[in-house]
Amino acid sequence: FQGMTTVGQLPFTPSTSKPLPKKPIFEAGSAEDEEDSDHLVERKKKTKRTELKSKPPLPAVPDRTGPPMIPLGVLLDFAVQQLYHEVTVLTELLPKKQDSERKVTLVQFAYNTRILFVKLLAIVKWLKVSKRFDNCTSICYFLEQQSQMFVDTADRLVQLAREELIYARLPVFQVTPAIDVLASGTFPRLPTCIKNRFIRESKITPREQACTLARINQVLNFRISRIASKLSPRIEKIEVKNGMATFTVPGEFEVKVTILGEMEKLKWTLLRVKILVEDYEIGFGKPLVHPLQMDMVHTGLQQRMDESAEPISEMYAVLHSLAQMLQLDVLVCQATQLQAGRLKDKIVIEKYDEKERVLTIGYWLQHERGKRAAGRLNKFSPTYRVQIYGDPTDHDATLRVRHLPAGPEFTNVDTRSGRLSLTTILSCSFDARCKNRLLRIKKRLEAAEPNAKLFQSGVAAPSLRFVLLADADVPAPNPTDDETLNITVNMFSGKVLCQLSAIQSHPTVRELETALYSGSTTTATLQQKLLDLKIQLLIERYRKAVTVLQVRVIGEQQMKPLLDKHSNLPKRRLCLQFVREDNFILIVGFVEDKDIVIATKLFLLEKPSLSLTSINDDIDFLPPSIMPYLRRDHKKFLAPSKTGPSSHLASWERPLTCAIASIDDQIGFQRVAAELAKKKYGFTRVMNEPIVGGLCLNITDVSEAIPERCIDFFSSLVRCCLRLDSRARLLWPFECCLVNSPLVNDFLPNKKGNSNSCLVLEMAASASGTPVSETITALVADRLITYCHIYDLVVRFASVYENYKNMCSVRHFTYHKLVLAYGPRRDRLLVLNYKPRSANSAAKFIINFGQCTPIDYLDKDGADVSLPSNSTEEVQWNPHVMMSQILSERINQEWDLVELVHYLITTLAPLDALHNFYKFRFQSQKVFAWMVSNDNYFPLAFKCHLIMISEHVVRLIYGHIHLEFTMTENSSVFVRDVSRRGSAAVGLFRFFHLLSGGTCELTEPASVGGVFGAATPASVKHDTSSGPSPTPAVESSSSTATVVHAPSGPLSCAARLDVSAAPSPLNAATTRMPRSVPQNYMTMGSPAQPGSNVAPQSAAEGGGGQEDHPHCARRSAELTLSGSFIQIDHATLSKACVFTDTVAGSARVSPLDDYLNAVVYIKRLGIALDTYRRDANSKKYIDFVHVSYNPEQVRVSVNGQMEPNGRPAIHFNFHLDPATMKLKLKLEYVGGTYPSSSIVTILEQYFEKCVAPLHNEFAVISFINLCRCTAYKAVADFAMIMRRQMEPSSCESHYISFVHTSQKSPKDPQSKEVSLTTIVEPTDRAVLITLCIRPKEKKATDTNKYHLTLIYNFQGNALSVRSATFSLEGDVDLIPFVKSIQSQRTSSTECSIWPTVCKLMAKMSSTRLSNVSVSATPGSVGQHPPSVGPASVNAPGSNASQRQ
């Protein structure tokens, strides 16, 4: 709609006015409203006429000169025609689209149509007001006319210049002045007449000026010399310069005068007056006198100088008087501000007289009380005063300071600089008064304490340090000492302040301050106050000293109810409650006498009975080393004498803490002894250890306290005592000295243990609220019981230990724990403990298994020797960890350590082999579950599971195969197939027969004995509900199922078992499978579930296909199914389970893993392909002619491509090879053109090495599609690519491989659907293949994988690129590069896939690749695990090749 677009782009001027409110078009109104509207219309018309008259007329616009226009009718016709056309197209296209696409198309049509008609509506609305814009056309036309006139004028001027004015001339311009102005910016050639007109000549020359000033200076010097003797000495500076004389009085004023001639009668002329008085504290240095006032002073001073006979002296007198008044005024202002601010209530202005020039300030105010202050406004009287005054009689004097009362070291007013500071005057006064008061206090203290240690310190803040206690002597003043009394004087109030950090808040300190401040305090009162401070300081010392002890300080208010009955206790005391024994309270009393002597008394108060014991008289509570301190109960506060140090100590807090700790220990031991006596233990009295010190409690008899009797153990126990260790935390060391240990440490031959040992157990009191005595007694009993039980087992084992020395060693034996190292290398550990009975659990033995460094890696001192750098030895784990629960139950039932050690030694090899085989290996279940239409919520599953049936029976679950391993004593292991739906491990005997070299045999086990002794015979029960053969009886012991034992020795003969009997079904409660194993995978071959597409099949014959088909799956004579026992030795089992590295870069493989993986893979593949063939709903990538399978093979038949010779038949036989017991492929082409035997061999090897390890059934279908491409010998080219994938060339820089499958939704990792990347067209005209190219660098990541999708057309023998995730750098493009190769092979009758790939790989070796857009997300690439679901994990034992 070209016309509509033109109309829509009409000029528009945006308006800044407010939008008008929206109103309906038709609105009913009253008659008055209509009249008002008529008046408004008339007024608007008149206004419009006036505006039209005032505006100049615009020219008329000729036709066809304005903007292009289109009729509105034509525009509407165009819109209707377009709408009709679109509706017609929709009616034809909508029936061919899906429902969702129809909806989208209709919505888009409705939206576009609505937008079109909205534009038309906007144009129609705009036409209603288009008349307003008619003038715009005339204006534009007028402006275009003006523009044309300018153009014509310019053209005419150019014509004149070029044609008519060629010979016109002008006069010569002033070029030289113009150049000067442009070049230098000045006009040096100014005419003289102009200069003289504006610049006048000077009336006096500089030389004349200098001569005149020099003459005036001579006159000034002469006059000043005449009056010099009469001038004031305060005038310190007189300077004559430039015809002026300057008189300066520092800090007051500065005056400049001169004389205007040489005559004697000429008066002095005052030029300038400057006041030098300043105030920087309040006025910030601003002038103190206003300029108008200075003008008045200047005028008055000039008049007085003119009238005076001595003008200079008159000038000095007037200005000196003015300066002093200003100085006093500044000091008063400062004092007023200090009185109202910082020094409020600290100073007072008592008097200020301007006439007398006096200012009096009082400080250190005292509050007046009584009648004296009743009638006064100011109720504070100053102690000291400072008076600042000026002498009116002496004109040469400055302001002076007088201190009342007078004293030394006082300052005067410094007025020389003019910057007056009252703060400085008061600070100096305060400092001098403080020093004077401290000096008087020092004299009073020396009088009260003749031997007092007083130190004076401080410069800015002077102070006195008084050492109260004699033992607190320090060589030099130390202001940080908490026990030193610091005495200072407050500079603002004059009050005395005492600071004693140890007892700062005590009232005695405040009383001492009052005594020192008052001058009427007597010496005796002062001595008593000092004594009180010393006693309080002693109490505080003891209070701090006991904070590290297990005591808490109790206040007097708490102790008052307990001490009412004991009134004879000292008033000054310290009450301490023991934390561990809170019923006991220690009272430390202090007694003083008139000789300034103090005595210390100790009392012990017991709560329930409130009995009080004096410890000073009781010797049992304290050790002898502390008793001398208690006997010396008088501690004098005396300073050391001049002749030598004093023998008296001021305090004994260290002996007191020792005494408190000793009392605490003694109380604890008494409580423990009482508890031991209650439990009927025999012990001696608590005594002090004579050698090491400390309290000790010897236990002598436990026969009545411990019910378990072990005479041998107590006969070797020579000493049993209980101590107390409270150094770091409260511990009760329980010490047992034993001799003739039954086992000694012999793990290291050079470090053999000692048969005598001393065991120390540090027991801690519980924090559960139980009394300490009960806890310690219970711990002693538990430890002795543990010793007895461990000793009982060890003694019996020690008697036969010599027979096991070759296979085990004692690593540690500490009576409460036994650690045995067993195995050929002594790298497996058995840890035996005993847990006594408690409130929550019964008494039992606890067994733990672990591992340690092999003995051949230890030196003679037991230190680890570093492994060689090329060592490939793996970390060995203890396999008996799997049996720990079963063995713990057995040891608690049998109490036999001999049988346990015998079991560990004999079963280490088979369990180690099975444990090494069982690793956390995962296998993808995603593709299989999708193909059989089964919901599987876990895309990954464990490859195998290991279940402990009993201590000698282990069951291995590998897919649908259940193998049971029974361990016997004679280094043999019995293996049999116990799968749940009948025997499933086809060729199991054949596998072990080949692996053992023919030594294994089918037999019944002569013994399947128990581990710990014999078992009673049991009847054999038969259950035919779950299998075709009878089942041996199974006993259930606690949580595990065990085989019936026979009454014989350890691991000896048991009841004979029926060889033909199949195993009983496992108890679901004891052998429940992990949730990650799909149930249908465990029961493959069973009848299909409702809704499943899997057809029922026989467990023996497999499923699918007809029996009369020539290529149906048939049973091999060498591969049989049997549930009989197979007897193998430990070496064969270890050989079957061990993982080895076959080729560098490949995954580790195991013979047993290869065999079981092949059997399980055949089962899965048969079910998946048969289900895929039968399912009519699935998308068919291939049509199977026949699918049949049994436990040992899967037969698949497909048709090849149609050829001139006919359509060949291709038969795939995926089978278990009886010679190697591994998965093999037998490929056979029948009819048509078939590949050579070498090509078939490559295809078979490629399946075994690259396709089968993927465990991806869809990858097998992709491989079959590749094998079907026989036209133009395409399968031969595919085989060459496969061989290059298996055997990469050293000349190429990249690996190449086939991509068999891809995920349909690459952005959704949880998507279950997968698709093939190798697809043959149903008409066999073309095939689609995908290749993966990876660099050979070892550090290459997944982002370096490039995918190339090719389409090969069989009819034209043409190869083309469908998509690629890379490009060749440089000038080479990938698609033209492939086309150029194809153009060279157009006439060839051979397939062009392999030559093209070879040239492409050679080109990539010489250039670099760069990433481009990715078109698909391929998975399952050659030698890598499938990418369906989460990434597959190739743990040790996986058959996936890892060759790069």
Side-chain angles (χ1 to χ4, degrees):
F1 294 93
Q2 193 67 26
M4 183 185 69
T5 305
T6 305
V7 175
Q9 294 179 352
L10 292 175
F12 174 73
T13 304
S15 177
T16 57
S17 61
K18 297 183 179 179
L20 297 175
K22 296 181 180 180
K23 294 183 179 180
I25 299 176
F26 302 101
E27 183 179 3
S30 61
E32 297 179 358
D33 295 338
E34 294 179 356
E35 294 178 1
D36 294 339
S37 61
D38 294 339
H39 290 299
L40 292 175
V41 171
E42 287 295 331
R43 187 180 302 174
K44 289 181 180 179
K45 290 181 179 180
K46 291 181 180 180
T47 306
K48 190 173 183 180
R49 293 193 203 102
T50 306
E51 291 178 354
L52 291 175
K53 292 179 180 180
S54 61
K55 291 182 180 179
L58 293 174
V61 180
D63 295 338
R64 297 182 181 180
T65 56
M69 302 181 68
I70 184 173
L72 181 60
V74 177
L75 188 63
L76 293 175
D77 191 16
F78 284 166
V80 172
Q81 290 296 333
Q82 182 181 358
L83 178 62
Y84 178 75
H85 173 70
E86 291 181 356
V87 171
T88 304
V89 173
L90 285 178
T91 56
E92 295 177 358
L93 297 180
L94 284 181
K96 300 178 183 180
K97 297 183 179 181
Q98 297 180 358
D99 190 18
S100 59
E101 295 179 352
R102 294 175 188 171
K103 295 178 180 178
V104 173
T105 305
L106 289 175
V107 171
Q108 291 179 351
F109 170 73
Y111 177 78
N112 294 333
T113 305
R114 181 179 178 276
I115 293 298
L116 177 61
F117 282 95
V118 165
K119 292 180 178 180
L120 291 175
L121 179 61
I123 293 173
V124 172
K125 288 185 177 181
W126 178 81
L127 289 175
K128 294 180 180 181
V129 294
S130 61
K131 294 181 180 180
R132 300 179 184 177
F133 302 95
D134 291 343
N135 293 333
C136 295
T137 305
S138 301
I139 294 173
C140 293
Y141 178 72
F142 176 73
L143 294 176
E144 290 177 357
Q145 287 182 338
Q146 296 295 325
S147 177
Q148 185 63 33
M149 290 179 182
F150 283 114
V151 172
D152 294 342
T153 303
D155 294 342
R156 179 59 181 161
L157 291 176
V158 171
Q159 182 181 3
L160 290 174
R162 293 179 180 178
E163 296 178 1
E164 300 179 8
L165 301 179
I166 296 176
Y167 302 102
R169 296 291 182 267
L170 288 175
V172 179
F173 294 102
Q174 298 293 329
V175 179
T176 303
I179 292 174
D180 292 337
V181 173
L182 292 176
S184 61
T186 59
F187 194 81
R189 294 175 175 82
L190 186 67
T192 307
C193 60
I194 299 177
K195 180 180 178 182
N196 296 334
R197 177 68 178 82
F198 294 96
I199 301 176
R200 297 181 181 181
E201 295 182 359
S202 56
K203 296 181 179 182
I204 185 173
T205 63
R207 180 178 179 82
E208 293 174 347
Q209 289 182 1
C211 294
T212 303
L213 292 177
R215 180 56 183 165
I216 294 175
N217 290 341
Q218 292 179 359
V219 173
L220 290 175
N221 288 328
F222 173 72
R223 286 207 174 185
I224 291 173
S225 61
R226 290 176 56 188
I227 60 175
S229 59
K230 299 179 181 180
L231 295 178
S232 173
R234 290 291 312 284
I235 302 176
E236 296 184 1
K237 183 179 180 182
I238 302 176
E239 182 181 8
V240 179
K241 185 178 181 182
N242 294 332
M244 294 182 297
T246 304
F247 298 89
T248 303
V249 179
E252 293 187 3
F253 59 88
E254 178 183 292
V255 180
K256 292 184 178 181
V257 295
T258 185
I259 296 177
L260 302 178
E262 298 183 4
M263 298 178 61
E264 182 70 21
K265 296 182 179 180
L266 290 177
K267 303 292 184 181
W268 290 85
T269 302
L270 185 62
L271 299 178
R272 180 186 176 189
V273 179
K274 182 180 180 181
I275 302 298
L276 301 181
V277 179
E278 297 176 349
D279 183 9
Y280 277 87
E281 293 187 4
I282 298 178
F284 304 101
K286 294 182 179 180
L288 299 179
V289 185
H290 196 271
L292 296 178
Q293 295 177 339
M294 289 302 301
D295 293 341
M296 184 183 66
V297 171
H298 188 281
T299 304
L301 185 58
Q302 180 67 51
Q303 184 178 359
R304 296 191 63 170
M305 290 175 63
D306 293 341
E307 296 175 356
S308 175
E310 298 179 356
I312 300 300
S313 299
E314 184 67 19
M315 175 196 68
Y316 169 77
V318 173
L319 292 180
H320 175 67
S321 176
L322 177 62
Q324 278 196 351
M325 292 176 59
L326 290 175
Q327 290 174 354
L328 277 178
D329 190 46
V330 167
L331 293 176
V332 170
C333 292
Q334 293 180 2
T336 304
Q337 189 177 23
L338 290 175
Q339 184 180 8
R342 291 182 297 169
L343 299 181
K344 185 177 181 180
D345 297 335
K346 301 294 187 298
I347 61 174
V348 60
I349 302 177
E350 292 188 331
K351 181 181 180 182
Y352 173 58
D353 193 343
E354 297 180 359
K355 296 181 179 180
E356 297 181 2
R357 302 178 187 176
V358 175
L359 173 63
T360 304
I361 300 174
Y363 56 94
W364 286 11
L365 307 180
Q366 293 182 356
H367 186 69
E368 295 184 356
R369 297 180 181 178
K371 298 180 180 180
R372 182 179 179 182
R376 297 177 55 186
L377 180 61
N378 190 359
K379 299 181 180 180
F380 295 94
S381 60
T383 305
Y384 300 100
R385 295 176 178 82
V386 56
Q387 190 179 68
I388 303 173
Y389 65 97
D391 191 355
T393 60
D394 188 0
H395 296 286
D396 297 332
T398 61
L399 291 180
R400 300 178 181 179
V401 178
R402 180 185 298 117
H403 295 273
L404 304 174
E409 301 180 1
F410 291 125
T411 182
N412 204 340
V413 179
D414 185 8
T415 59
R416 291 175 296 177
S417 63
R419 300 179 181 180
L420 303 176
S421 177
L422 182 64
T423 304
T424 304
I425 299 174
L426 294 178
S427 297
C428 296
S429 303
F430 293 164
D431 185 68
R433 295 296 183 183
C434 287
K435 292 180 180 179
N436 190 14
R437 178 161 290 185
L438 283 177
L439 183 61
R440 293 198 302 268
I441 291 174
K442 182 179 180 182
K443 293 180 180 179
R444 294 176 61 189
L445 291 176
E446 289 176 350
E449 294 283 346
N451 298 322
K453 298 177 183 179
L454 287 171
F455 303 98
Q456 192 169 359
S457 62
V459 178
S463 62
L464 285 177
R465 296 183 66 252
F466 184 20
V467 180
L468 294 174
L469 301 180
D471 61 347
D473 187 14
V474 288
N478 185 9
T480 61
D481 191 2
D482 294 341
E483 295 184 353
T484 301
L485 180 64
N486 292 322
I487 304 173
T488 58
V489 177
N490 191 332
M491 288 189 175
F492 302 105
S493 62
K495 294 182 179 180
V496 179
L497 302 177
C498 296
Q499 183 180 6
L500 188 59
S501 301
I503 51 173
Q504 181 61 35
S505 59
H506 201 272
T508 309
V509 180
R510 307 281 79 82
E511 294 175 0
L512 180 62
E513 290 178 355
T514 305
L516 293 176
Y517 182 71
S518 177
S520 60
T521 305
T522 61
T523 303
T525 304
L526 195 59
Q527 290 176 351
Q528 183 62 36
K529 299 299 180 185
L530 293 176
L531 177 61
D532 294 342
L533 276 182
K534 294 176 182 179
I535 296 175
Q536 293 300 330
L537 187 58
L538 267 183
I539 296 175
E540 189 62 29
R541 274 191 180 185
Y542 295 143
R543 191 188 305 273
K544 292 180 180 179
V546 300
T547 54
V548 298
L549 303 177
Q550 294 294 323
V551 294
R552 66 173 65 94
V553 180
I554 303 179
E556 287 292 331
Q557 297 297 330
Q558 292 180 269
M559 290 296 298
K560 188 175 181 180
L562 302 178
L563 300 180
D564 288 341
K565 298 181 180 180
H566 306 283
S567 58
N568 55 347
L569 291 175
K571 300 299 182 182
R572 303 174 185 270
R573 58 195 175 220
L574 184 65
C575 301
L576 308 174
Q577 183 181 18
F578 294 98
V579 175
R580 295 193 291 267
E581 302 293 339
D582 53 359
N583 290 334
F584 293 90
I585 298 175
L586 181 66
I587 301 174
V588 184
F590 305 95
V591 182
E592 62 179 74
D593 59 11
K594 61 181 180 179
D595 297 330
I596 317 178
V597 175
I598 186 171
T600 305
K601 300 293 182 181
L602 300 179
F603 302 93
L604 187 64
L605 178 67
E606 189 173 359
K607 265 189 180 180
S609 60
L610 297 180
S611 59
L612 190 66
T613 304
S614 177
I615 300 180
N616 296 64
D617 303 330
D618 193 348
I619 304 177
D620 294 337
F621 274 90
L622 299 177
S625 59
I626 300 180
M627 294 307 297
Y629 289 95
L630 292 177
R631 295 191 184 96
R632 188 196 312 163
D633 53 357
H634 296 285
K635 310 296 180 289
K636 295 185 178 180
F637 303 120
L638 298 177
S641 60
K642 298 181 180 179
T643 58
S646 175
S647 60
H648 298 282
L649 295 176
S651 62
W652 55 284
E653 63 273 6
R654 184 174 180 81
L656 178 63
T657 56
C658 295
I660 295 174
S662 178
I663 293 170
D664 190 11
D665 296 346
Q666 186 73 22
I667 293 174
F669 267 104
Q670 287 183 359
R671 298 294 296 271
V672 172
E675 192 66 28
L676 290 175
K678 189 186 300 182
K679 300 289 184 180
K680 298 182 180 180
Y681 281 84
F683 57 88
T684 61
R685 64 184 298 273
V686 180
M687 62 180 62
N688 289 301
E689 186 69 31
I691 300 176
V692 298
L695 300 178
C696 179
L697 179 64
N698 292 315
I699 300 175
T700 58
D701 186 13
V702 295
S703 58
E704 298 183 6
I706 299 178
E708 289 80 359
R709 299 292 183 88
C710 187
I711 301 176
D712 295 338
F713 170 72
F714 287 108
S715 62
S716 62
L717 183 61
V718 297
R719 177 182 173 85
C720 181
C721 63
L722 188 65
R723 303 179 186 275
L724 181 63
D725 183 8
S726 59
R727 290 171 297 178
R729 60 190 185 97
L730 182 62
L731 298 173
W732 294 80
F734 180 56
E735 179 182 320
C736 295
C737 296
L738 299 106
V739 296
N740 302 325
S741 176
L743 290 178
V744 296
N745 302 342
D746 58 353
F747 180 71
L748 296 174
N750 298 329
K751 286 190 174 183
K752 193 172 182 181
N754 190 3
S755 60
N756 300 331
S757 60
C758 180
L759 305 179
V760 178
L761 172 66
E762 294 184 346
M763 300 179 296
S766 62
S768 60
T770 307
V772 177
S773 57
E774 296 181 8
T775 303
I776 298 304
T777 305
L779 291 176
V780 170
D782 291 345
R783 182 48 57 118
L784 291 176
I785 292 173
T786 301
Y787 289 164
C788 290
H789 285 75
I790 297 292
Y791 187 85
D792 189 18
L793 264 66
V794 170
V795 164
R796 283 183 284 174
F797 174 70
S799 61
V800 296
Y801 176 62
E802 294 295 331
N803 300 329
Y804 295 98
K805 267 193 172 183
N806 295 330
M807 291 301 293
C808 67
S809 302
V810 179
R811 186 147 188 173
H812 297 290
F813 174 60
T814 55
Y815 285 89
H816 71 283
K817 180 174 67 174
L818 173 65
V819 181
L820 290 179
Y822 62 95
R825 305 176 66 186
R826 303 298 190 274
D827 55 345
R828 315 300 168 90
L829 295 180
L830 165 66
V831 182
L832 178 65
N833 295 284
Y834 181 79
K835 183 179 180 181
R837 181 173 46 228
S838 63
N840 300 326
S841 62
K844 61 180 178 180
F845 287 97
I846 300 176
I847 296 178
N848 295 308
F849 295 97
Q851 56 277 342
C852 62
T853 305
I855 194 171
D856 48 358
Y857 288 145
L858 299 177
D859 56 10
K860 62 180 181 179
D861 296 328
D864 292 347
V865 179
S866 58
L867 294 176
S869 59
N870 58 353
S871 176
T872 58
E873 184 175 356
E874 294 184 354
V875 178
Q876 297 292 331
W877 299 95
N878 197 331
H880 288 106
V881 175
M882 303 182 295
M883 294 285 187
S884 59
Q885 183 178 0
I886 299 175
L887 298 180
S888 296
E889 295 176 358
R890 293 297 184 189
I891 192 68
N892 284 287
Q893 293 175 4
E894 303 294 338
W895 284 41
D896 194 346
L897 183 60
V898 178
E899 298 295 341
L900 175 61
V901 175
H902 184 79
Y903 168 79
L904 296 179
I905 294 174
T906 55
T907 61
L908 177 61
L911 281 179
D912 199 7
L914 292 174
H915 185 267
N916 291 334
F917 179 80
Y918 171 68
K919 300 290 185 181
F920 287 113
R921 292 173 293 157
F922 296 93
Q923 180 173 297
S924 175
Q925 300 290 333
K926 197 170 188 179
V927 178
F928 177 77
W930 180 71
M931 292 185 68
V932 299
S933 301
N934 184 25
D935 292 333
N936 184 18
Y937 298 99
F938 300 95
L940 293 179
F942 285 113
K943 206 169 186 179
C944 61
H945 301 271
L946 207 60
I947 299 177
M948 307 298 113
I949 303 301
S950 65
E951 65 269 16
H952 59 277
V953 179
V954 180
R955 183 166 297 175
L956 175 65
I957 301 176
Y958 199 105
H960 66 286
I961 301 174
H962 294 204
L963 296 182
E964 192 171 85
F965 297 85
T966 303
M967 298 170 289
T968 59
E969 181 184 13
N970 54 357
S971 300
S972 298
V973 178
F974 289 85
V975 187
R976 66 169 176 168
D977 185 1
V978 293
S979 300
R980 301 186 67 177
R981 297 296 178 181
S983 299
V986 59
L988 182 62
F989 176 75
R990 174 74 176 172
F991 168 74
F992 283 110
H993 182 78
L994 294 175
L995 194 63
S996 63
T999 59
C1000 71
E1001 57 183 1
L1002 285 171
T1003 180
E1004 297 182 13
S1007 63
V1008 186
V1011 178
F1012 305 110
T1016 59
S1019 61
V1020 178
K1021 301 178 182 179
H1022 300 283
D1023 184 8
T1024 61
S1025 61
S1026 61
S1029 58
T1031 305
V1034 176
E1035 287 186 356
S1036 178
S1037 173
S1038 68
S1039 62
T1040 58
T1042 60
V1043 177
V1044 178
H1045 307 298
S1048 58
L1051 290 173
S1052 58
C1053 297
R1056 296 182 62 85
L1057 301 179
D1058 188 1
V1059 179
S1060 62
S1064 61
L1066 297 179
N1067 187 1
T1070 60
T1071 59
R1072 184 174 299 166
M1073 290 303 301
R1075 295 183 61 186
S1076 60
V1077 180
Q1079 295 299 325
N1080 67 320
Y1081 184 48
M1082 298 300 302
T1083 59
M1084 287 192 300
S1086 60
Q1089 300 296 330
S1092 175
N1093 293 323
V1094 181
Q1097 57 189 3
S1098 172
E1101 297 297 336
Q1106 296 82 13
E1107 291 298 328
D1108 56 352
H1109 193 274
H1111 296 282
C1112 65
R1114 298 185 183 277
R1115 183 67 54 80
S1116 175
E1118 297 177 346
L1119 303 177
T1120 59
L1121 290 171
S1122 175
S1124 302
F1125 284 97
I1126 303 173
Q1127 183 179 4
I1128 60 175
D1129 55 5
H1130 291 175
T1132 303
L1133 182 60
S1134 299
K1135 185 178 179 181
C1137 296
V1138 67
F1139 287 90
T1140 57
D1141 295 327
T1142 56
V1143 183
S1146 299
R1148 307 186 66 191
V1149 296
S1150 163
L1152 181 60
D1153 189 68
D1154 281 346
Y1155 163 69
L1156 295 178
N1157 181 70
V1159 177
V1160 173
Y1161 185 79
I1162 290 173
K1163 188 78 171 183
R1164 282 183 43 162
L1165 182 62
I1167 294 176
L1169 295 182
D1170 186 65
T1171 305
Y1172 181 76
R1173 180 179 65 87
R1174 295 172 182 271
D1175 190 3
N1177 298 326
S1178 63
K1179 185 178 181 181
K1180 299 297 183 181
Y1181 292 100
I1182 188 173
D1183 292 330
F1184 292 103
V1185 177
H1186 174 76
V1187 176
S1188 63
Y1189 63 95
N1190 59 26
E1192 73 234 24
Q1193 62 181 343
V1194 178
R1195 294 284 303 197
V1196 179
S1197 298
V1198 297
N1199 292 326
Q1201 287 181 312
M1202 178 60 69
E1203 300 178 5
N1205 299 334
R1207 185 183 295 272
I1210 308 173
H1211 304 290
F1212 297 85
N1213 185 4
F1214 307 96
H1215 65 281
L1216 181 65
D1217 186 14
T1220 60
M1221 300 306 290
K1222 295 183 179 180
L1223 182 65
K1224 297 291 183 180
L1225 169 63
K1226 179 63 178 175
L1227 183 60
E1228 183 179 359
Y1229 287 84
V1230 180
T1233 303
Y1234 54 86
S1236 62
S1237 59
S1238 60
I1239 297 300
V1240 173
T1241 303
I1242 293 175
L1243 295 176
E1244 292 174 351
Q1245 292 178 353
Y1246 179 77
F1247 171 79
E1248 298 166 7
K1249 294 183 179 180
C1250 299
V1251 179
L1254 296 176
H1255 293 277
N1256 190 337
E1257 290 73 13
F1258 246 37
V1260 177
I1261 298 177
S1262 176
F1263 171 74
I1264 294 174
N1265 274 335
L1266 291 175
C1267 296
R1268 291 177 55 216
C1269 302
T1270 57
Y1272 284 93
K1273 298 181 181 181
V1275 67
D1277 285 22
F1278 294 156
M1280 300 306 295
I1281 297 176
M1282 294 176 184
R1283 187 174 68 175
R1284 184 59 56 88
Q1285 178 179 348
M1286 294 184 290
E1287 300 174 1
S1289 175
S1290 60
C1291 300
E1292 297 175 353
S1293 61
H1294 291 74
Y1295 296 111
I1296 187 169
S1297 58
F1298 276 104
V1299 179
H1300 296 292
T1301 62
S1302 66
Q1303 190 171 334
K1304 280 194 174 182
S1305 302
K1307 296 183 180 179
D1308 185 12
Q1310 302 299 328
S1311 176
K1312 297 182 179 180
E1313 296 187 7
V1314 293
S1315 62
L1316 288 183
T1317 56
T1318 303
I1319 303 174
V1320 180
E1321 194 179 11
T1323 58
D1324 295 339
R1325 292 183 301 177
V1327 61
L1328 174 72
I1329 62 173
T1330 302
L1331 301 177
C1332 177
I1333 300 174
R1334 308 186 316 275
K1336 287 186 177 181
E1337 288 81 358
K1338 293 183 179 180
K1339 296 183 180 180
T1341 58
D1342 292 338
T1343 56
N1344 298 116
K1345 292 181 181 180
Y1346 308 103
H1347 296 91
L1348 175 64
T1349 303
L1350 302 174
I1351 299 177
Y1352 177 69
N1353 192 341
F1354 293 102
Q1355 294 181 352
N1357 190 17
L1359 183 67
S1360 60
V1361 178
R1362 182 185 181 185
S1363 63
T1365 60
F1366 66 95
S1367 63
L1368 300 175
E1369 292 189 356
D1371 299 333
V1372 181
D1373 195 1
L1374 181 62
I1375 296 178
F1377 177 75
V1378 175
K1379 288 183 178 180
S1380 64
I1381 299 175
Q1382 292 299 308
S1383 63
Q1384 299 173 6
R1385 301 184 59 87
T1386 305
S1387 61
S1388 176
T1389 58
E1390 297 181 357
C1391 183
S1392 60
I1393 298 177
W1394 174 241
T1396 304
V1397 171
C1398 287
K1399 292 185 178 181
L1400 180 62
M1401 295 294 292
K1403 187 64 178 178
M1404 287 189 297
S1405 301
S1406 60
T1407 184
R1408 295 181 59 189
L1409 303 183
S1410 59
N1411 289 319
V1412 294
S1413 61
V1414 179
S1415 59
T1417 306
S1420 302
V1421 179
Q1423 302 166 3
H1424 290 270
S1427 62
V1428 287
S1432 301
V1433 179
N1434 283 332
S1438 176
N1439 292 334
S1441 176
Q1442 300 296 328
R1443 189 186 299 111
Q1444 298 296 327

